[in-house]
Amino acid sequence: MKLFYIPFLLFILSFVSLTAQNKHFNIHESEKYRDQFRSTNILNVYSTANDLNVIARKSKSYLVFETFDNSAKGKKIKTVKLNKKENFVGELFHNNMLRIFMVESPSKTVRKLHCYTYDVTSNTSEKVTLLETTVKKKSAIFSGGNKRQTNFSISPNKKFIAIATDIEKKNSNSYNIHVYNASNLSLNYTKSYYNNTEKYYTSSDMVVDNNGAVYNVGKEYFKGKRERKKAKANYSYVICKIDKDTVKMGAIQLKKEEYIKNLSMSFVNKQLRLLGYYSEDKVFGIKGVSTFMVDKTSLETINKKKQKLPLSVFEDLYGYRNAKSKKDSELTSFTLDYLLEDEEGNTYLVAEEFYVTQVYVSNGMNGGMYVTTYHYDDILITKLDASGNLKWGRSIFKRDTAPSYNTFINKGKLYVLLNSGKNLTAKKDGRLKVSKGWFESSALYAFVYDKDGKVTHEKIQDNKGKTKYIPYKGSYADGKFVLYNHSNNKKQLMILSCKE
């Protein structure tokens, strides 16, 4: 571990106010400076009780902790040397302690979970290894990295950390739960919670409550691994409740011609609420939103709702002329990126359309090559209240070839930050197209949705030279969104503080 101080940062990070013509934000942008770390991806940002901003970044070889006040004075940098092949999986901030959880892959089959703790007050850090496990060759141990999708979760009161790992057994789905005390990282308990040699199982989501009990939901397939057989869903959802002494199981049965790719869980009114997009026609299509309210004790489904996407979603995507003919169709290729909750229990699901195309480009007599293009296109937004009622739905008609947006909630409003062409294009059919032409310069925009789904658009800045900021790599906390530009020699930091 090494401690770096950069004295001239105290001068260059005096912020310039850019607030005069902006309605939604007070904007502060630092002077340009040279950054020794090739990373613009902020793992997370937090604010302490005395308004000190705390940021964690990961470069190729270092974990970088940075602290500065709202005027960017008194900035400190603390760096921790990382081993090769360490990847970020989660974070926790409590009592001026920022904990960053990383998975190390020292070999093809060994995985280690480390926790790096940064003490803001003393500007010191320490490393603790929480567990070591064996996986199948080149597999991951957490959600999104392998077919079985194990999980990592933190309780709402930030007192417990739950980790689910796959137990390596031939022809078996078997999982372990590890629950840790978040304050001192001691192990509270570990327990095996699923073991089935007959049926294939994939974990969908996991949460841990304020008492350290863990709830996991996943797909249990009837036969084989296919999503559909004989025009019916080939799975049901299984809920497991795990505590130190017991394991209890329940099930959610789907109706005929009902497909739900994934379910996400949260705690609402002392119950479990499960949310997911449902389809009636395609395995991974989106017809609307399914909501399940589940009793935490019995694991029985108390209430279920299926609600179609509203007409406004299709008006934003296809224009008012074509919306009615499209409203009974299903959206495809969307991936849920964010599930956000506000103080009133409202939930916002934000998904982005993603797909890949390949085009063969001929080079004449020299043959040719395939050109692969990644598409990050339309954005789908839905808001549900605490009872699971679909309040409104909207879309953003967007075209991009790289991850570009970020979203957060502040005081009942949903903010979507993204880059587009210098001027948004209003089409004759009522749509607003968010894209950048071949020779067009870009600009940073905010789309702000009020409690009823009404949207306002505001340009934050025109991007010039090295001043392009990518919201996708920024982070939000406590009314502030922080992001970097992409230059190393002329690095800048921007703070967007919500006015409302």
Side-chain angles (χ1 to χ4, degrees):
M1 300 182 186
K2 296 182 180 180
L3 178 63
F4 290 92
Y5 288 96
I6 305 181
F8 64 88
L9 283 178
L10 303 183
F11 170 75
I12 62 169
L13 286 177
S14 58
F15 272 52
V16 179
S17 177
L18 301 173
T19 63
Q21 297 179 346
N22 198 280
K23 178 181 177 181
H24 295 101
F25 300 105
N26 291 315
I27 306 173
H28 301 283
E29 187 177 25
S30 73
E31 297 291 341
K32 296 179 177 66
Y33 68 98
R34 182 178 178 82
D35 186 23
Q36 65 193 94
F37 306 106
R38 295 180 178 273
S39 172
T40 58
N41 190 17
I42 299 175
L43 302 180
N44 222 322
V45 57
Y46 289 98
S47 296
T48 64
N50 58 348
D51 284 335
L52 188 66
N53 300 298
V54 186
I55 284 177
R57 286 190 288 158
K58 179 185 177 296
S59 67
K60 183 177 181 180
S61 302
Y62 289 92
L63 184 60
V64 184
F65 297 101
E66 301 171 83
T67 60
F68 51 89
D69 63 20
N70 286 335
S71 298
K73 294 181 179 179
K75 179 163 182 172
K76 297 178 181 179
I77 294 181
K78 175 73 176 180
T79 65
V80 180
K81 179 71 174 178
L82 296 175
N83 296 323
K84 292 182 178 180
K85 298 181 180 179
E86 286 197 54
N87 296 307
F88 170 75
V89 292
E91 44 74 32
L92 170 67
F93 185 76
H94 191 55
N95 292 333
N96 282 354
M97 297 283 187
L98 177 56
R99 300 191 190 277
I100 301 294
F101 299 90
M102 309 282 288
V103 168
E104 180 187 0
S105 304
S107 70
K108 294 180 180 178
T109 58
V110 175
R111 301 292 180 265
K112 296 181 180 180
L113 177 65
H114 305 303
C115 176
Y116 295 90
T117 301
Y118 174 62
D119 188 322
V120 178
T121 305
S122 63
N123 197 45
T124 58
S125 65
E126 67 173 350
K127 172 184 175 181
V128 174
T129 301
L130 297 180
L131 65 86
E132 181 176 334
T133 188
T134 302
V135 299
K136 289 183 179 179
K137 190 175 181 180
K138 295 184 179 181
S139 295
I141 65 171
F142 290 117
S143 177
N146 64 354
K147 292 182 179 180
R148 294 187 181 177
Q149 297 216 343
T150 44
N151 304 93
F152 177 98
S153 184
I154 297 170
S155 64
N157 62 3
K158 300 183 179 181
K159 290 185 177 180
F160 297 98
I161 301 167
I163 298 165
T165 57
D166 195 342
I167 304 172
E168 287 302 312
K169 291 183 178 180
K170 187 177 181 180
N171 299 322
S172 173
N173 292 289
S174 185
Y175 298 86
N176 266 347
I177 286 287
H178 307 262
V179 177
Y180 296 86
N181 185 314
S183 61
N184 58 18
L185 300 180
S186 61
L187 180 65
N188 277 18
Y189 68 90
T190 181
K191 202 167 189 68
S192 176
Y193 76 94
Y194 189 90
N195 195 330
N196 193 321
T197 60
E198 302 296 328
K199 295 182 178 181
Y200 187 70
Y201 174 87
T202 62
S203 177
S204 185
D205 197 15
M206 183 181 76
V207 292
V208 53
D209 69 16
N210 290 336
N211 297 313
V214 178
Y215 299 82
N216 184 281
V217 63
K219 287 181 180 179
E220 185 178 73
Y221 291 76
F222 301 138
K223 187 175 181 180
K225 302 178 182 179
R226 295 183 62 181
E227 297 290 322
R228 176 168 56 185
K229 285 194 174 183
K230 296 182 179 179
K232 296 181 181 179
N234 185 39
Y235 55 84
S236 63
Y237 275 94
V238 176
I239 303 176
C240 298
K241 179 182 179 180
I242 308 104
D243 59 30
K244 190 173 183 178
D245 301 314
T246 60
V247 175
K248 189 170 185 177
M249 298 184 69
I252 294 178
Q253 300 293 338
L254 302 182
K255 294 182 179 180
K256 182 180 178 180
E257 296 181 353
E258 180 181 12
Y259 311 99
I260 301 177
K261 181 180 180 180
N262 287 302
L263 283 174
S264 298
M265 291 194 295
S266 60
F267 300 110
V268 177
N269 298 329
K270 298 182 180 180
Q271 297 175 340
L272 274 174
R273 182 177 62 185
L274 288 76
L275 296 172
Y277 297 121
Y278 77 87
S279 168
E280 295 178 347
D281 180 47
K282 302 176 178 65
V283 173
F284 296 134
I286 298 177
K287 183 82 170 183
V289 180
S290 283
T291 307
F292 302 87
M293 301 301 296
V294 176
D295 183 87
K296 288 179 60 179
T297 303
S298 66
L299 300 185
E300 293 182 355
T301 301
I302 302 169
N303 189 22
K304 176 184 177 181
K305 296 179 181 179
K306 285 177 60 177
Q307 299 164 94
K308 292 176 59 177
L309 296 177
L311 181 64
S312 53
V313 167
F314 300 93
E315 290 176 338
D316 291 338
L317 291 181
Y318 305 110
Y320 64 85
R321 295 189 183 94
N322 299 315
K324 289 185 179 180
S325 63
K326 293 284 189 179
K327 67 182 179 65
D328 292 324
S329 61
E330 296 191 1
L331 303 180
T332 58
S333 304
F334 279 80
T335 301
L336 180 63
D337 292 328
Y338 299 93
L339 194 153
L340 307 173
E341 295 185 10
D342 63 20
E343 296 85 354
E344 297 177 357
N346 299 307
T347 301
Y348 300 79
L349 285 76
V350 186
E352 184 178 40
E353 183 183 19
F354 172 76
Y355 59 97
V356 181
T357 58
Q358 280 191 328
V359 177
Y360 184 80
V361 179
S362 175
N363 291 328
M365 296 184 64
N366 295 322
M369 59 182 294
Y370 282 97
V371 177
T372 301
T373 303
Y374 297 92
H375 299 266
Y376 297 83
D377 290 347
D378 302 327
I379 295 175
L380 170 65
I381 306 168
T382 49
K383 176 184 178 180
L384 298 95
D385 64 17
S387 299
N389 299 309
L390 183 58
K391 303 302 292 183
W392 54 262
R394 298 297 303 264
S395 297
I396 298 176
F397 179 41
K398 181 176 74 72
R399 296 292 180 266
D400 211 327
T401 57
S404 61
Y405 84 102
N406 211 319
T407 184
F408 61 88
I409 299 171
N410 184 72
K411 295 184 179 179
K413 293 184 177 181
L414 179 74
Y415 293 76
V416 178
L417 302 181
L418 47 76
N419 281 296
S420 180
K422 187 175 182 179
N423 297 304
L424 298 176
T425 304
K427 302 182 77 67
K428 292 182 180 180
D429 58 9
R431 291 180 295 172
L432 189 69
K433 188 174 183 179
V434 179
S435 64
K436 177 181 174 296
W438 284 101
F439 302 105
E440 185 183 12
S441 61
S442 65
L444 179 62
Y445 280 90
F447 284 48
V448 183
Y449 297 84
D450 68 12
K451 64 178 182 179
D452 299 316
K454 296 179 181 178
V455 61
T456 57
H457 317 96
E458 185 169 31
K459 182 187 294 187
I460 297 173
Q461 73 157 31
D462 289 318
N463 297 320
K464 297 179 181 179
K466 297 294 185 179
T467 64
K468 184 175 181 179
Y469 295 87
I470 301 297
Y472 172 74
K473 295 187 175 183
S475 185
Y476 168 84
D478 306 316
K480 289 174 287 188
F481 189 85
V482 181
L483 63 167
Y484 283 95
N485 69 350
H486 279 281
S487 175
N488 290 317
N489 297 329
K490 297 181 179 180
K491 182 65 65 65
Q492 285 182 283
L493 179 71
M494 177 183 282
I495 297 180
L496 302 175
S497 299
C498 297
K499 289 183 176 180
E500 300 173 311

